[in-house]
Amino acid sequence: MELKLTRPICFFDLETTGINVAKDRIVEIAILKVYPNGNKESKTWLVNPEMVIPEEVIAVHGITNEKVANEPTFKELSKEIYKIIKDSDLGGFNSDRFDIPLLAEELLRADIDFDMKNTVSVDVQTIFHKMEKRTLEAAYKFYCDKDLTDAHSAAADTNATYEVLLSQLDRYPDLENNIKKLSEFSRRKQSVDFAGFIAMDEEGEEVFSFGKHKGKKVHAVLEKEPGYFGWMLNADFPLYTKKILTQIKLSKLNNKLS
C-alpha cells in the first residue's frame, strides 16, 4: 500500500523538554517528507532548547543538556524547517494534541507566521486508538510485526509512524487512502486553535471551550467583555491560541466597518 497524495505530507516527531505546549521547547525534531510520486526525504536535528532539560525527561528520551549545548537553537533552524513543511500536510503520532501545537509555538516564537488554514493533519495515534487502542510500540508490533527497538528516538518514532499508517491502510479496507479523509477520521474534535481553548459549535462559529465562558461564542464574549481579550493576550496561553483569538476579533471588527 502506498499513500495516495495530491501534495507532499511531512511525518514528524519531537523530543522536548516536557509536555507544556506554551513553555517547553524542542530538543530534537525529525521529519520524513513523502512526495506524491513516492519519493522521500528525511532530516533530523538536535536543538539547543535554551533551557534546562529536566532529569526525568532525559530518562525518557536520553537527550542530555550536554548533548545539545553546542547545537543550533530552534530559531536558527526555523527557516530551514519551515521551508520543508510549508507546502505539505502533516502527519504524526499524537501530533494533533502535542507535536503540531508545540511546533507552532516554536515557529511563532521564531517570528514565522505558521498557519494551518490550508493544511490538513493525520494523527496516526487517533486512527490506532479508534481501531485498536494501543501505544506506538504495540502499534508497530501489531501492524508491522516489528519491534520498535529505539523508541523515543525521534527518527525511529517518525519512521515507525509512517510504516504504521501504510499498514493501517492495508488492514482496513474502509479506511480511505486520502489525506483529507484520514485527517477527518483522525481528528478528535473540531478545535480552531491547537490547544483546544477555542472550538467550533454546530453552527460553524468559534466558541470558548474552557472557563466561565465555556460554550459561548467568542465574538459575543469579546464584544460584551472587551477586557477578556486583553486578559487572554497577557495570560499564559499558547501563542497560536492568541493569534486565532486576534484573528477572530479583527474579522468581526472588519465586518462591522464594511
Side-chain angles (χ1 to χ4, degrees), residues 190-232:
Q190 191 174 10
S191 60
V192 182
D193 65 330
F194 295 126
F197 291 107
I198 302 172
M200 282 286 191
D201 64 12
E202 293 179 353
E203 299 171 356
E205 292 196 50
E206 299 92 347
V207 296
F208 286 113
S209 56
F210 75 100
K212 66 178 183 179
H213 292 307
K214 185 175 182 178
K216 297 179 182 177
K217 297 186 188 300
V218 174
H219 70 85
V221 171
L222 298 185
E223 188 170 330
K224 293 180 181 178
E225 194 177 329
Y228 200 70
F229 175 76
W231 171 76
M232 285 195 67

Short mmCIF file of all heavy atoms in Angstrom, two decimals, residues 190-232:
data_model
loop_
_atom_site.label_atom_id
_atom_site.label_comp_id
_atom_site.label_asym_id
_atom_site.label_seq_id
_atom_site.Cartn_x
_atom_site.Cartn_y
_atom_site.Cartn_z
N GLN A 190 -13.26 19.15 16.78
CA GLN A 190 -13.01 20.28 15.89
C GLN A 190 -12.64 21.51 16.71
O GLN A 190 -13.49 22.23 17.20
CB GLN A 190 -14.23 20.56 15.02
CG GLN A 190 -13.94 21.54 13.89
CD GLN A 190 -15.10 21.71 12.95
OE1 GLN A 190 -16.19 21.24 13.21
NE2 GLN A 190 -14.88 22.37 11.84
N SER A 191 -11.34 21.71 16.88
CA SER A 191 -10.87 22.90 17.59
C SER A 191 -10.25 23.86 16.58
O SER A 191 -9.71 23.45 15.57
CB SER A 191 -9.85 22.53 18.67
OG SER A 191 -8.74 21.89 18.11
N VAL A 192 -10.35 25.14 16.88
CA VAL A 192 -9.83 26.16 15.98
C VAL A 192 -8.35 26.39 16.25
O VAL A 192 -7.55 26.54 15.33
CB VAL A 192 -10.63 27.48 16.14
CG1 VAL A 192 -10.12 28.53 15.17
CG2 VAL A 192 -12.11 27.22 15.91
N ASP A 193 -8.00 26.45 17.53
CA ASP A 193 -6.60 26.53 17.89
C ASP A 193 -6.12 25.11 18.21
O ASP A 193 -6.91 24.20 18.35
CB ASP A 193 -6.39 27.46 19.08
CG ASP A 193 -7.03 26.92 20.34
OD1 ASP A 193 -8.05 26.20 20.23
OD2 ASP A 193 -6.54 27.19 21.44
N PHE A 194 -4.83 24.90 18.27
CA PHE A 194 -4.31 23.56 18.52
C PHE A 194 -4.58 23.09 19.94
O PHE A 194 -4.83 21.91 20.18
CB PHE A 194 -2.80 23.53 18.27
CG PHE A 194 -2.43 23.80 16.84
CD1 PHE A 194 -1.52 24.79 16.53
CD2 PHE A 194 -2.97 23.05 15.81
CE1 PHE A 194 -1.16 25.04 15.23
CE2 PHE A 194 -2.64 23.29 14.51
CZ PHE A 194 -1.72 24.28 14.21
N ALA A 195 -4.50 24.00 20.89
CA ALA A 195 -4.57 23.61 22.30
C ALA A 195 -5.99 23.30 22.77
O ALA A 195 -6.18 22.77 23.85
CB ALA A 195 -3.97 24.71 23.16
N GLY A 196 -6.99 23.64 21.95
CA GLY A 196 -8.36 23.29 22.28
C GLY A 196 -9.09 24.30 23.16
O GLY A 196 -10.14 23.99 23.71
N PHE A 197 -8.58 25.51 23.26
CA PHE A 197 -9.26 26.54 24.04
C PHE A 197 -10.42 27.16 23.26
O PHE A 197 -11.35 27.71 23.83
CB PHE A 197 -8.28 27.64 24.47
CG PHE A 197 -7.28 27.19 25.48
CD1 PHE A 197 -5.96 26.99 25.13
CD2 PHE A 197 -7.65 26.95 26.80
CE1 PHE A 197 -5.02 26.57 26.06
CE2 PHE A 197 -6.73 26.54 27.75
CZ PHE A 197 -5.41 26.33 27.37
N ILE A 198 -10.33 27.09 21.92
CA ILE A 198 -11.38 27.63 21.04
C ILE A 198 -11.84 26.52 20.10
O ILE A 198 -11.02 25.90 19.41
CB ILE A 198 -10.87 28.83 20.23
CG1 ILE A 198 -10.36 29.93 21.16
CG2 ILE A 198 -11.98 29.38 19.33
CD1 ILE A 198 -9.66 31.07 20.45
N ALA A 199 -13.15 26.25 20.10
CA ALA A 199 -13.70 25.17 19.28
C ALA A 199 -14.76 25.73 18.33
O ALA A 199 -15.08 26.92 18.36
CB ALA A 199 -14.29 24.09 20.18
N MET A 200 -15.27 24.85 17.47
CA MET A 200 -16.36 25.20 16.57
C MET A 200 -17.67 24.63 17.11
O MET A 200 -17.70 23.46 17.54
CB MET A 200 -16.11 24.63 15.18
CG MET A 200 -15.12 25.42 14.35
SD MET A 200 -15.81 26.96 13.76
CE MET A 200 -14.52 27.43 12.58
N ASP A 201 -18.74 25.42 17.09
CA ASP A 201 -20.04 24.86 17.50
C ASP A 201 -20.75 24.29 16.28
O ASP A 201 -20.19 24.24 15.17
CB ASP A 201 -20.89 25.93 18.20
CG ASP A 201 -21.26 27.11 17.30
OD1 ASP A 201 -21.07 27.02 16.07
OD2 ASP A 201 -21.75 28.13 17.84
N GLU A 202 -21.97 23.82 16.48
CA GLU A 202 -22.72 23.17 15.39
C GLU A 202 -23.06 24.15 14.27
O GLU A 202 -23.35 23.74 13.15
CB GLU A 202 -23.99 22.54 15.95
CG GLU A 202 -23.72 21.37 16.89
CD GLU A 202 -24.99 20.77 17.45
OE1 GLU A 202 -26.08 21.34 17.20
OE2 GLU A 202 -24.91 19.74 18.14
N GLU A 203 -23.03 25.43 14.57
CA GLU A 203 -23.33 26.45 13.56
C GLU A 203 -22.08 26.89 12.81
O GLU A 203 -22.14 27.77 11.94
CB GLU A 203 -23.98 27.66 14.23
CG GLU A 203 -25.29 27.32 14.93
CD GLU A 203 -25.80 28.48 15.78
OE1 GLU A 203 -25.09 29.50 15.88
OE2 GLU A 203 -26.90 28.35 16.35
N GLY A 204 -20.93 26.29 13.16
CA GLY A 204 -19.68 26.64 12.49
C GLY A 204 -19.07 27.93 12.98
O GLY A 204 -18.28 28.56 12.28
N GLU A 205 -19.42 28.34 14.20
CA GLU A 205 -18.86 29.56 14.79
C GLU A 205 -17.94 29.22 15.95
O GLU A 205 -18.13 28.21 16.65
CB GLU A 205 -19.98 30.49 15.26
CG GLU A 205 -20.80 31.07 14.10
CD GLU A 205 -21.63 32.24 14.55
OE1 GLU A 205 -21.09 33.16 15.20
OE2 GLU A 205 -22.84 32.24 14.26
N GLU A 206 -16.94 30.08 16.18
CA GLU A 206 -15.96 29.84 17.22
C GLU A 206 -16.58 30.06 18.61
O GLU A 206 -17.27 31.06 18.83
CB GLU A 206 -14.76 30.77 17.06
CG GLU A 206 -14.00 30.60 15.75
CD GLU A 206 -14.48 31.52 14.65
OE1 GLU A 206 -15.59 32.14 14.81
OE2 GLU A 206 -13.78 31.65 13.63
N VAL A 207 -16.33 29.10 19.51
CA VAL A 207 -16.80 29.21 20.89
C VAL A 207 -15.64 28.89 21.83
O VAL A 207 -14.72 28.15 21.48
CB VAL A 207 -17.98 28.26 21.19
CG1 VAL A 207 -19.19 28.62 20.36
CG2 VAL A 207 -17.58 26.80 20.95
N PHE A 208 -15.70 29.46 23.03
CA PHE A 208 -14.70 29.10 24.05
C PHE A 208 -15.03 27.71 24.58
O PHE A 208 -16.20 27.36 24.76
CB PHE A 208 -14.72 30.12 25.19
CG PHE A 208 -14.10 31.44 24.85
CD1 PHE A 208 -14.87 32.59 24.77
CD2 PHE A 208 -12.74 31.53 24.59
CE1 PHE A 208 -14.29 33.82 24.45
CE2 PHE A 208 -12.15 32.76 24.26
CZ PHE A 208 -12.93 33.89 24.19
N SER A 209 -13.98 26.92 24.85
CA SER A 209 -14.19 25.56 25.35
C SER A 209 -13.62 25.40 26.76
O SER A 209 -13.30 24.28 27.18
CB SER A 209 -13.54 24.55 24.40
OG SER A 209 -12.17 24.83 24.21
N PHE A 210 -13.48 26.50 27.49
CA PHE A 210 -12.93 26.44 28.85
C PHE A 210 -13.49 27.61 29.66
O PHE A 210 -14.03 28.58 29.12
CB PHE A 210 -11.40 26.55 28.82
CG PHE A 210 -10.90 27.94 28.55
CD1 PHE A 210 -10.47 28.77 29.57
CD2 PHE A 210 -10.91 28.44 27.25
CE1 PHE A 210 -10.03 30.06 29.33
CE2 PHE A 210 -10.48 29.74 26.99
CZ PHE A 210 -10.04 30.55 28.03
N GLY A 211 -13.33 27.51 30.98
CA GLY A 211 -13.58 28.64 31.87
C GLY A 211 -15.02 29.10 31.95
O GLY A 211 -15.96 28.40 31.57
N LYS A 212 -15.20 30.31 32.43
CA LYS A 212 -16.54 30.84 32.70
C LYS A 212 -17.35 31.08 31.44
O LYS A 212 -18.58 31.17 31.51
CB LYS A 212 -16.42 32.13 33.51
CG LYS A 212 -15.76 33.30 32.77
CD LYS A 212 -15.74 34.55 33.64
CE LYS A 212 -15.14 35.73 32.89
NZ LYS A 212 -15.13 36.96 33.72
N HIS A 213 -16.68 31.19 30.28
CA HIS A 213 -17.39 31.43 29.04
C HIS A 213 -17.47 30.18 28.16
O HIS A 213 -17.69 30.27 26.95
CB HIS A 213 -16.72 32.55 28.25
CG HIS A 213 -16.83 33.90 28.92
ND1 HIS A 213 -18.02 34.44 29.31
CD2 HIS A 213 -15.87 34.80 29.26
CE1 HIS A 213 -17.81 35.62 29.87
NE2 HIS A 213 -16.51 35.86 29.86
N LYS A 214 -17.26 29.02 28.77
CA LYS A 214 -17.30 27.77 28.01
C LYS A 214 -18.63 27.61 27.27
O LYS A 214 -19.71 27.76 27.85
CB LYS A 214 -17.10 26.58 28.96
CG LYS A 214 -16.99 25.24 28.25
CD LYS A 214 -16.67 24.11 29.23
CE LYS A 214 -16.52 22.79 28.49
NZ LYS A 214 -16.16 21.68 29.42
N GLY A 215 -18.53 27.35 25.95
CA GLY A 215 -19.72 27.18 25.13
C GLY A 215 -20.26 28.46 24.53
O GLY A 215 -21.14 28.42 23.66
N LYS A 216 -19.73 29.60 24.96
CA LYS A 216 -20.22 30.89 24.44
C LYS A 216 -19.43 31.29 23.20
O LYS A 216 -18.25 30.99 23.08
CB LYS A 216 -20.08 31.99 25.50
CG LYS A 216 -20.93 31.76 26.75
CD LYS A 216 -20.73 32.88 27.76
CE LYS A 216 -21.52 32.64 29.03
NZ LYS A 216 -21.27 33.70 30.04
N LYS A 217 -20.08 31.99 22.28
CA LYS A 217 -19.43 32.43 21.05
C LYS A 217 -18.35 33.47 21.37
O LYS A 217 -18.59 34.40 22.14
CB LYS A 217 -20.46 33.01 20.08
CG LYS A 217 -21.50 31.99 19.62
CD LYS A 217 -22.41 32.55 18.56
CE LYS A 217 -23.57 31.60 18.26
NZ LYS A 217 -23.12 30.29 17.77
N VAL A 218 -17.20 33.27 20.76
CA VAL A 218 -16.05 34.11 21.07
C VAL A 218 -16.34 35.58 20.77
O VAL A 218 -16.08 36.46 21.58
CB VAL A 218 -14.80 33.64 20.28
CG1 VAL A 218 -13.64 34.61 20.48
CG2 VAL A 218 -14.39 32.24 20.72
N HIS A 219 -16.90 35.84 19.58
CA HIS A 219 -17.12 37.25 19.19
C HIS A 219 -18.11 37.93 20.13
O HIS A 219 -17.98 39.12 20.44
CB HIS A 219 -17.59 37.34 17.73
CG HIS A 219 -18.98 36.81 17.50
ND1 HIS A 219 -20.11 37.57 17.68
CD2 HIS A 219 -19.40 35.59 17.09
CE1 HIS A 219 -21.18 36.85 17.39
NE2 HIS A 219 -20.78 35.64 17.04
N ALA A 220 -19.10 37.17 20.65
CA ALA A 220 -20.08 37.76 21.56
C ALA A 220 -19.43 38.10 22.91
O ALA A 220 -19.70 39.16 23.48
CB ALA A 220 -21.24 36.79 21.77
N VAL A 221 -18.56 37.21 23.38
CA VAL A 221 -17.87 37.46 24.64
C VAL A 221 -16.96 38.69 24.53
O VAL A 221 -16.94 39.56 25.40
CB VAL A 221 -17.04 36.23 25.07
CG1 VAL A 221 -16.15 36.57 26.27
CG2 VAL A 221 -17.97 35.07 25.41
N LEU A 222 -16.21 38.76 23.41
CA LEU A 222 -15.27 39.87 23.23
C LEU A 222 -16.01 41.20 23.09
O LEU A 222 -15.48 42.25 23.47
CB LEU A 222 -14.39 39.62 22.01
CG LEU A 222 -13.48 38.38 22.07
CD1 LEU A 222 -12.58 38.32 20.85
CD2 LEU A 222 -12.63 38.37 23.35
N GLU A 223 -17.20 41.14 22.53
CA GLU A 223 -17.98 42.37 22.36
C GLU A 223 -18.54 42.85 23.70
O GLU A 223 -18.52 44.04 24.01
CB GLU A 223 -19.12 42.13 21.37
CG GLU A 223 -19.86 43.40 20.98
CD GLU A 223 -20.83 43.18 19.83
OE1 GLU A 223 -20.56 42.29 18.99
OE2 GLU A 223 -21.85 43.89 19.78
N LYS A 224 -19.04 41.90 24.51
CA LYS A 224 -19.66 42.26 25.79
C LYS A 224 -18.62 42.50 26.88
O LYS A 224 -18.85 43.26 27.81
CB LYS A 224 -20.62 41.16 26.23
CG LYS A 224 -21.85 41.03 25.34
CD LYS A 224 -22.76 39.91 25.83
CE LYS A 224 -23.97 39.75 24.94
NZ LYS A 224 -24.84 38.63 25.38
N GLU A 225 -17.48 41.81 26.77
CA GLU A 225 -16.45 41.89 27.81
C GLU A 225 -15.08 42.12 27.17
O GLU A 225 -14.26 41.20 27.07
CB GLU A 225 -16.46 40.60 28.63
CG GLU A 225 -15.68 40.68 29.92
CD GLU A 225 -15.78 39.39 30.73
OE1 GLU A 225 -16.81 38.70 30.64
OE2 GLU A 225 -14.80 39.08 31.44
N PRO A 226 -14.81 43.35 26.68
CA PRO A 226 -13.57 43.63 25.95
C PRO A 226 -12.30 43.30 26.75
O PRO A 226 -11.28 42.92 26.17
CB PRO A 226 -13.65 45.14 25.69
CG PRO A 226 -15.11 45.47 25.79
CD PRO A 226 -15.68 44.53 26.80
N GLY A 227 -12.38 43.38 28.05
CA GLY A 227 -11.21 43.11 28.87
C GLY A 227 -10.77 41.66 28.84
O GLY A 227 -9.61 41.34 29.16
N TYR A 228 -11.67 40.77 28.43
CA TYR A 228 -11.34 39.34 28.38
C TYR A 228 -10.28 39.07 27.31
O TYR A 228 -9.42 38.21 27.48
CB TYR A 228 -12.61 38.52 28.09
CG TYR A 228 -12.50 37.06 28.46
CD1 TYR A 228 -12.45 36.68 29.80
CD2 TYR A 228 -12.46 36.07 27.48
CE1 TYR A 228 -12.36 35.34 30.15
CE2 TYR A 228 -12.37 34.74 27.82
CZ TYR A 228 -12.32 34.37 29.15
OH TYR A 228 -12.23 33.04 29.50
N PHE A 229 -10.35 39.84 26.23
CA PHE A 229 -9.36 39.72 25.16
C PHE A 229 -7.97 40.08 25.68
O PHE A 229 -7.00 39.35 25.47
CB PHE A 229 -9.75 40.63 24.00
CG PHE A 229 -8.74 40.68 22.87
CD1 PHE A 229 -8.63 39.62 21.99
CD2 PHE A 229 -7.92 41.78 22.70
CE1 PHE A 229 -7.70 39.65 20.94
CE2 PHE A 229 -6.98 41.83 21.68
CZ PHE A 229 -6.89 40.75 20.79
N GLY A 230 -7.88 41.20 26.38
CA GLY A 230 -6.60 41.63 26.94
C GLY A 230 -6.07 40.65 27.97
O GLY A 230 -4.87 40.38 28.02
N TRP A 231 -6.99 40.10 28.77
CA TRP A 231 -6.56 39.12 29.77
C TRP A 231 -5.95 37.89 29.12
O TRP A 231 -4.90 37.42 29.55
CB TRP A 231 -7.76 38.71 30.64
CG TRP A 231 -7.42 37.55 31.54
CD1 TRP A 231 -6.68 37.59 32.69
CD2 TRP A 231 -7.79 36.18 31.34
NE1 TRP A 231 -6.56 36.32 33.22
CE2 TRP A 231 -7.22 35.44 32.42
CE3 TRP A 231 -8.53 35.50 30.38
CZ2 TRP A 231 -7.39 34.06 32.54
CZ3 TRP A 231 -8.70 34.13 30.50
CH2 TRP A 231 -8.14 33.43 31.57
N MET A 232 -6.58 37.40 28.05
CA MET A 232 -6.06 36.21 27.38
C MET A 232 -4.71 36.49 26.71
O MET A 232 -3.80 35.65 26.72
CB MET A 232 -7.06 35.67 26.35
CG MET A 232 -8.24 34.96 26.97
SD MET A 232 -9.19 33.96 25.77
CE MET A 232 -8.00 32.68 25.33
#
